[in-house]
Amino acid sequence: MRKPFIAGNWKMNTDSASAVALAASLAEELKGVDTVDMAVCPPFVYLQSVAAALSASNIALGSQNVYFEEKGAFTGETSCGMLKDIGCAYAIMGHSERRHVMGETDELINKKVAAAISGGLLPIFCVGEQLQDREGGTTNKVVSGQIKNGLVGISAEQMQAVTVAYEPVWAIGTGLTATPQQAQEVHAMIRGLLAELYGNEIAQSVRIQYGGSAKPGNTAELMAQPDVDGLLVGGAALKVEDFAAMVKTIA
Ligand code: PEP
């Protein structure tokens, strides 16, 4: 049985005061929830103050990115060890904005997945097709390529640390949500591919989140799909009442 997992990706939003206030309100609002794993991923500069606000809570901390090298001359980057050091449990990698705005490749994302697992962080490994892929009928080809290339060299044992997030790019921040059926189709395809790569037992244990304009009003129908194990939430994660409502719907 896979425990549901919801994560909030705050992206490049909040400031020092509002980040702490958001985290503190969520901690208060969601105390006692133990049937859903929860995490928030604030901007890097607020990770430590959010960590303090969450210290007595059941909400885990995640980063929005990570670099694969341990240390050295990599200006502007942050290592897994640094993130562990300040209390991060999770790290998002392969987010579509990093793939398509910052130009990250499958090869780079694969290095991040491997480094995160070796460094004791739990990857939230994002994949998803663009609108032209969906319209051109190549969704499964694109997503399966991202999965295979992003997981090169990752063993079955290591795979148990990974959450996959399926985020159709055309649904991110656009207000367009994949229908529950569209989400389920791709989630089932991903789980089938994981079974080919790692065997059925591992495939059945890996959590696959959906992301793309998830909000309180569509949480129940998305979560009702057999292969949707949680949500990666952008915009709605910035509002205490929305994120809390989604957690409570799932719980
Ligand atoms: C995201 O960026 O991971 C995301 C799913 O954003 P939104 O919920 O705003 O579409």
Side-chain angles (χ1 to χ4, degrees):
M1 193 57 193
R2 300 179 293 270
K3 187 175 181 184
F5 174 31
I6 185 167
N9 172 13
W10 295 1
K11 309 195 186 188
M12 199 169 74
N13 293 299
T14 68
D15 58 21
S16 57
S18 63
V20 169
L22 178 54
S25 301
L26 287 172
E28 178 60 26
E29 193 65 36
L30 296 172
K31 66 181 172 212
V33 173
D34 59 4
T35 54
V36 182
D37 284 340
M38 302 174 281
V40 294
C41 305
F44 274 87
V45 285
Y46 307 133
L47 277 168
Q48 269 188 291
S49 47
V50 168
L54 296 176
S55 62
S57 84
N58 47 0
I59 303 172
L61 189 68
S63 67
Q64 297 176 19
N65 187 24
V66 67
Y67 198 56
F68 64 87
E69 295 284 2
E70 280 177 26
K71 62 177 179 172
F74 304 102
T75 302
E77 296 295 338
T78 309
S79 72
C80 300
M82 292 169 181
L83 293 171
K84 282 283 286 179
D85 183 34
I86 54 112
C88 278
Y90 295 94
I92 297 174
M93 50 205 69
H95 191 278
S96 74
E97 287 144 24
R98 298 217 59 90
R99 288 179 186 268
H100 302 301
V101 182
M102 279 75 182
E104 292 196 2
T105 61
D106 283 341
E107 191 187 12
L108 174 62
I109 295 160
N110 173 238
K111 287 183 178 160
K112 295 183 180 196
V113 174
I117 298 170
S118 311
L121 287 173
L122 302 168
I124 299 175
F125 165 49
C126 303
V127 295
E129 83 284 7
Q130 299 189 75
L131 187 59
Q132 66 263 29
D133 306 319
R134 179 148 291 265
E135 290 177 344
T138 56
T139 295
N140 285 0
K141 183 167 173 256
V142 168
V143 173
S144 59
Q146 290 170 336
I147 296 264
K148 284 186 201 152
N149 293 333
L151 295 177
V152 169
I154 303 301
S155 69
E157 194 190 332
Q158 289 177 316
M159 195 58 207
Q160 295 177 55
V162 178
T163 296
V164 176
Y166 167 60
E167 300 204 301
V169 180
W170 48 273
I172 295 179
T174 57
L176 294 173
T177 317
T179 64
Q181 293 69 31
Q182 285 173 322
Q184 170 58 25
E185 268 171 33
V186 180
H187 282 229
M189 184 279 292
I190 293 172
R191 201 175 304 285
L193 179 57
L194 294 177
E196 275 172 38
L197 297 171
Y198 296 107
N200 198 43
E201 198 180 325
I202 298 292
Q204 289 303 325
S205 73
V206 171
R207 294 186 291 195
I208 308 176
Q209 295 175 321
Y210 168 79
S213 299
K215 48 187 178 272
N218 56 27
T219 294
E221 57 181 13
L222 287 164
M223 291 300 300
Q225 302 306 308
D227 289 295
V228 176
D229 307 314
L231 301 170
L232 181 55
V233 187
L238 294 168
K239 295 188 199 120
V240 178
E241 59 280 13
D242 284 359
F243 194 73
M246 294 169 87
V247 171
K248 287 173 188 175
T249 299
I250 298 171

